[in-house]
């Protein structure tokens, strides 16, 4: 059984990450992986891959609680530079997360991969650099894979990449939103850079309008949209790099074979 440990900011983030990871494993892995993940048995799916709990009732490790995890493990996290350079935004956070995972592994927790996903908000360049600094430092110290996700500006941008109108009402809402914004928010979700949730360019507001606030409709954006569509639209929002890293790191690690070519289905 493959054990995946996820660092993220919320249960909604975890749900999206889990869905995308399973999509990649199912569609880029060998047939036997697809059959397991598409089968009706949750026990069979868990028998192939499962998520490491944080010990506090979550199936993810909350990035807001890193200090508490480190304290629980009696870790002292170095505050110094990264390869002789000051850490960018998020570098120390990434270092702490990877050290927490390393300590868990050294203590006997089975870990095949660590996935760290963190919203970029309005600090995309600095935060991406900081996370890469932390991963570069951690890689020689751990035996598990390290996958980074950098939603830019936030998770909702990834969800919007998978929105394709299914009804006349949805087509009308998307047309109105395109006129309001001056661009297609599903094709250029990275341009939705407002922090306030009800602002014109808020990814949260746009997604809420397009899906009419229906949770099941939102979920279909990442569970049913073709991977080729998600990759085509996700270059600037960080979705494409995340899908690529997941493919290149997790498919061989969990299945033992290289990824299959991406199809147009």
């Amino acid at each position: 059984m493959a054990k995946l440990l996820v660092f993220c900011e919320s249960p909604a983030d975890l749900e999206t990450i889990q869905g995308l990871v399973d999509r990649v494993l199912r569609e880029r892995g060998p047939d036997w992986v697809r059959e397991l993940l598409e089968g009706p048995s949750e026990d069979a799916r868990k028998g192939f891959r499962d998520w490491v709990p944080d010990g506090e009732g979550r199936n993810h490790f909350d990035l807001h609680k890193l200090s508490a995890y480190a304290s629980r493990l009696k870790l002292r996290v170095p505050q110094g530079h990264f390869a002789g350079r000051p850490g960018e935004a998020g570098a120390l956070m990434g270092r702490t997360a990877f050290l927490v995972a390393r300590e868990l592994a050294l203590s006997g927790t089975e870990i095949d991969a660590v996935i760290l996903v963190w919203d970029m908000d309005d600090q995309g360049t600095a935060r991406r650099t900081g996370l890469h600094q932390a991963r570069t430092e951690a890689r020689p110290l751990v035996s598990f894979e390290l996958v980074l996700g950098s939603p830019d500006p936030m998770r909702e941008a990834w969800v919007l990449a998978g929105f394709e109108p299914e009804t006349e009402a949805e087509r009308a809402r998307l047309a109105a939103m395109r006129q309001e914004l001056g661009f297609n928010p599903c094709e250029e979700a990275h341009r939705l850079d407002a922090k306030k949730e009800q602002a014109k360019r808020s990814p949260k507001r746009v997604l809420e309008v397009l899906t009419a606030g229906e949770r099941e409709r939102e979920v279909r954006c990442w569970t049913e949209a073709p991977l080729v569509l998600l990759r085509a639209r996700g270059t600037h929002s960080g979705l494409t790099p995340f899908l690529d890293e997941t493919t290149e790191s997790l498919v061989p690690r969990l299945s033992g074979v290289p990824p299959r070519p991406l199809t147009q289905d």
Side-chain angles (χ1 to χ4, degrees):
M1 178 195 299
K3 303 291 281 187
L4 308 178
L5 188 156
V6 177
F7 289 98
C8 61
E9 297 182 79
S10 71
D13 289 351
L14 176 67
E15 184 182 14
T16 305
I17 294 162
Q18 289 176 326
L20 290 171
V21 168
D22 276 3
R23 287 286 307 280
V24 169
L25 293 173
R26 190 168 65 242
E27 297 178 36
R28 304 297 302 276
D31 289 341
W32 65 267
V33 171
R34 184 182 70 250
E35 290 168 3
L36 275 178
L37 294 178
E38 289 182 349
S41 172
E42 177 60 24
D43 288 340
R45 289 191 287 273
K46 287 185 176 180
F48 170 62
R49 62 95 190 96
D50 205 1
W51 313 93
V52 178
D54 75 340
E56 298 180 4
R58 306 176 191 86
N59 280 336
H60 71 283
F61 283 68
D62 190 337
L63 285 173
H64 305 106
K65 298 180 179 297
L66 282 178
S67 295
Y69 296 139
S71 296
R72 189 176 77 195
L73 294 168
K74 297 181 171 57
L75 282 177
R76 297 186 65 182
V77 179
Q79 305 293 304
H81 285 29
F82 293 77
R85 299 178 62 86
E88 293 284 352
L92 183 59
M93 181 197 72
R95 171 186 281 167
T96 304
F98 296 141
L99 286 176
V100 165
R102 177 174 180 264
E103 185 64 24
L104 288 170
L106 291 173
S107 301
T109 301
E110 183 182 350
I111 300 174
D112 291 282
V114 168
I115 302 168
L116 193 161
V117 176
W118 185 36
D119 287 350
M120 296 294 95
D121 295 332
D122 58 351
Q123 302 181 63
T125 300
R127 289 187 175 187
R128 278 189 293 272
T129 300
L131 291 180
H132 281 274
Q133 286 178 303
R135 180 168 65 178
T136 298
E137 177 185 76
R139 270 182 165 156
L141 306 176
V142 301
S143 60
F144 42 77
E145 299 291 335
L146 299 172
V147 176
L148 298 178
S150 304
D152 198 349
M154 59 186 64
R155 179 193 73 94
E156 284 78 6
W158 287 10
V159 181
L160 283 165
F163 182 86
E164 280 285 273
E166 297 176 347
T167 65
E168 286 300 325
E170 288 188 356
R171 279 186 278 275
R173 289 199 294 269
L174 179 58
M177 189 62 70
R178 290 182 66 169
Q179 183 172 7
E180 178 185 355
L181 296 170
F183 61 90
N184 187 332
C186 303
E187 296 175 356
E188 299 182 87
H190 62 284
R191 296 177 64 181
L192 299 170
D193 52 6
K195 285 186 175 182
K196 294 184 178 180
E197 291 193 13
Q198 295 307 313
K200 178 179 177 179
R201 289 199 177 196
S202 163
K204 293 181 183 293
R205 181 190 76 90
V206 172
L207 181 61
E208 176 82 10
V209 170
L210 293 182
T211 62
E214 296 179 7
R215 179 64 179 163
E216 291 184 3
R217 180 65 183 92
E218 179 180 333
V219 171
R220 292 204 300 276
C221 293
W222 71 77
T223 58
E224 296 183 5
L227 285 182
V228 289
L229 178 69
L230 296 178
R231 291 191 75 259
R233 291 177 168 180
T235 301
H236 299 294
S237 67
L239 177 55
T240 304
F242 177 72
L243 295 174
D244 288 345
E245 283 201 21
T246 300
T247 302
E248 294 160 8
S249 296
L250 298 192
V251 171
R253 178 71 178 238
L254 274 59
S255 73
V257 298
R260 295 192 300 184
L262 185 66
T263 69
Q264 297 293 320
D265 296 338

